[in-house]
């Protein structure tokens, strides 16, 4: 019997002056993973976008438990999206989306 | 809970508004200790003013000076002049002779190297000297994303080698940002995650962003304290406070 895949949910706060649409944000993270770890590494990340709140500039991602450090490095690696300076900060990580939302509620999202 | 530190936040201290913004952001990101390279001629009053601003945000400010000597003699002169003024002394080892002198001098806390591969002189000989003098190797991780691709690949490869040497000779490694643009500030765990790119285990990387920096700062503060006599020896009471024997 195959082992159950454990997953982790990330809440990421975007620091940028302008609004950026979901596609561009997700592309930037994927590109960072390709650049740092290649196709092989990207295939191990199991990255999926769960939700993106454009107004709050908050992104919720899911990845495999074993790829947490890899995804963190890729997120830190993003410095620009279409030549506009951007910073991404992981504000919470959790094993379930319910616990993640609870954690975000208790965190200051204002920089 | 870990006390995270970024000992190399390269921001201008003349602009107090910018300094305050940087400290506020560092506090939001989860840093408890922040080191900012200061000009060597800065006054003690100015340092106290900066410490006070940082304290308002719950951040411990460490005064640091980055030395860029052109030869070993200049390094020795600067060390004599500045050691008692700053909590942390870091040396930019852009020349091999300077790197060797910095590694063997006990007054140097941190050695760091430029991003150019040919100017990184951290080899076994350097590590052997640094081991005896208690100097730590600093790696500015936030320089990595800003480099052109080829240079970045070469740097990561070189850093992997340096980390191996540092581990073999038990040289403490400090992970810092080294940024001058606030948009490049990242959380401590993200900086540690970037250090895993050069094969540093995550637990060790987290120590490099917290305990290592903290222990250097604590050691130097003790030395700069007026009660310090010699390593392991300090004044506890004096004058009328001393009980009669």
């Amino acid at each position: 019997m195959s082992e159950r895949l454990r997953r982790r949910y990330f809440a990421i706060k975007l620091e940028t002056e302008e609004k950026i649409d979901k596609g561009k944000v997700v592309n930037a993270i994927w590109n960072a993973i390709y650049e740092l770890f290649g196709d092989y590494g990207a295939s191990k990340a199991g990255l999926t976008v769960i939700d993106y709140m454009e107004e709050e500039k908050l992104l919720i991602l899911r990845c495999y438990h074993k790829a947490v450090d890899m995804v963190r490095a890729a997120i830190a690696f993003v410095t620009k999206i279409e030549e506009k300076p951007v910073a991404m900060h992981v504000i919470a990580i959790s094993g379930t989306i319910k616990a993640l939302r609870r954690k975000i509620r208790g965190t200051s999202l204002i920089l | 809970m870990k006390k995270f530190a970024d000992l190399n936040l390269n921001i201008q201290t003349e602009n107090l508004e910018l300094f305050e913004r940087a400290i506020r952001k560092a506090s939001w990101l989860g840093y408890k200790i922040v080191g900012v390279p200061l000009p060597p001629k800065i006054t003690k009053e100015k340092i106290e003013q900066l410490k006070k601003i940082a304290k308002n945000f719950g951040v411990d400010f460490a005064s640091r000076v980055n030395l860029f000597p052109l030869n070993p003699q200049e390094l020795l002169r600067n060390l004599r002049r500045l050691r008692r003024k700053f909590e942390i002394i870091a040396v930019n080892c852009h020349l091999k002779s300077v790197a060797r002198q910095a590694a063997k001098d006990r007054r140097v806390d941190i050695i760091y190297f430029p991003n150019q591969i040919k100017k990184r002189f951290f080899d076994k000989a350097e590590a052997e000297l640094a081991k005896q003098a208690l100097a730590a190797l600093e790696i500015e991780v936030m320089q990595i994303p800003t480099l052109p691709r080829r240079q970045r690949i070469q740097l990561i490869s070189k850093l992997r080698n340096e980390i191996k040497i540092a581990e073999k000779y038990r040289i403490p490694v400090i992970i810092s940002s080294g940024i001058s643009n606030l948009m490049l500030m990242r959380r401590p765990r993200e900086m540690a995650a970037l250090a895993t790119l050069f094969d540093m285990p995550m637990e060790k990387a987290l120590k490099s962003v917290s305990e290592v920096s903290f222990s250097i700062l604590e050691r130097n503060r003790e030395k700069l304290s007026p009660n310090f006599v010699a390593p392991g020896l300090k004044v506890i009471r004096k004058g009328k406070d001393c009980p009669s024997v």
Side-chain angles (χ1 to χ4, degrees), chain B residues 201-219:
Chain B
M202 191 63 176
E203 298 83 62
K204 215 175 164 204
L206 282 172
K207 272 189 182 175
S208 295
V209 214
S210 57
E211 288 164 35
V212 179
S213 317
F214 185 66
S215 65
I216 291 176
L217 191 61
E218 210 174 33
R219 187 182 71 205

Side-chain angles (χ1 to χ4, degrees), chain A residues 9 60 94-105:
Chain A
Y9 293 86
I60 296 180
S94 187
T96 62
I97 192 128
K98 194 177 168 188
L100 184 84
R101 293 199 195 273
R102 205 185 310 132
K103 271 188 186 177
I104 301 169
R105 253 179 265 140

Side-chain angles (χ1 to χ4, degrees), chain A residues 11-13 51-53 56-60 91 104 109:
Chain A
I12 300 160
K13 173 79 181 169
D51 197 2
Y52 178 59
M53 291 154 254
E56 290 97 335
K57 294 175 183 170
L58 193 71
L59 176 73
I60 296 180
I91 52 170
I104 301 169
L109 296 178

Side-chain angles (χ1 to χ4, degrees), chain B residues 11-219:
Chain B
I11 45 167
Q12 285 180 2
T13 48
E14 291 87 53
N15 185 347
L16 287 181
E17 202 182 313
L18 178 74
F19 176 79
E20 202 177 306
R21 206 144 44 93
I23 297 292
R24 189 188 301 131
K25 192 172 174 187
S27 168
W28 184 81
L29 292 173
Y31 292 101
K32 290 281 176 218
I33 304 166
V34 164
V36 177
L38 302 168
K41 285 183 180 170
I42 195 166
T43 59
K44 284 195 174 170
E45 290 74 34
K46 178 81 178 174
I47 295 175
E48 284 308 313
Q49 186 191 11
L50 298 173
K51 274 185 188 280
K52 213 173 165 185
I53 293 171
K55 206 178 170 187
N56 291 338
F57 294 95
V59 174
D60 187 359
F61 176 81
S63 59
R64 162 181 173 144
V65 67
N66 285 355
L67 301 179
F68 192 85
L70 298 172
N71 52 52
Q73 291 75 32
E74 192 183 325
L75 172 66
L76 293 174
R77 266 199 308 278
N78 285 338
L79 285 172
R80 247 193 314 271
R81 203 160 49 92
L82 301 168
R83 178 63 274 191
R84 304 235 15 118
K85 192 172 171 186
F86 294 94
E87 287 163 341
I88 293 165
I89 291 208
V91 179
N92 183 327
C93 303
H94 59 111
L95 294 170
K96 198 167 193 171
S97 56
V98 169
R100 296 293 191 252
Q101 183 61 48
K104 68 183 170 193
D105 200 307
R106 292 179 73 93
R107 291 169 294 183
V108 175
D109 302 310
I110 294 171
I111 50 172
Y112 69 103
F113 297 86
N115 287 331
Q116 295 100 309
I117 304 300
K118 288 183 179 172
K119 287 190 176 180
R120 296 192 73 94
F121 306 108
F122 191 80
D123 50 16
K124 286 178 184 172
E126 181 82 3
E128 185 72 55
L129 293 170
K131 183 187 170 186
Q132 286 158 16
L134 304 172
L137 170 71
E138 184 179 60
I139 294 171
E140 298 169 328
V141 277
M142 283 316 293
Q143 306 284 339
I144 297 171
T146 59
L147 291 173
R149 191 167 194 181
R150 195 169 165 187
Q151 207 180 327
R152 185 171 66 229
I153 292 168
Q154 287 174 335
L155 180 65
I156 292 174
S157 164
K158 180 78 181 161
L159 288 174
R160 195 170 289 134
N161 195 23
E162 288 181 8
I163 292 295
K164 260 187 206 164
I165 295 172
E167 198 174 348
K168 189 180 172 190
Y169 287 87
R170 296 176 182 230
I171 307 292
V173 177
I174 294 176
I175 302 288
S176 69
S177 62
I179 52 124
S180 48
N181 176 358
L182 295 192
M183 280 301 272
L184 288 173
M185 279 175 89
R186 295 290 183 274
R187 285 187 178 245
R189 283 179 197 276
E190 265 88 283
M191 292 221 295
L194 278 175
T196 60
L197 293 177
F198 35 88
D199 292 349
M200 209 173 177
M202 191 63 176
E203 298 83 62
K204 215 175 164 204
L206 282 172
K207 272 189 182 175
S208 295
V209 214
S210 57
E211 288 164 35
V212 179
S213 317
F214 185 66
S215 65
I216 291 176
L217 191 61
E218 210 174 33
R219 187 182 71 205

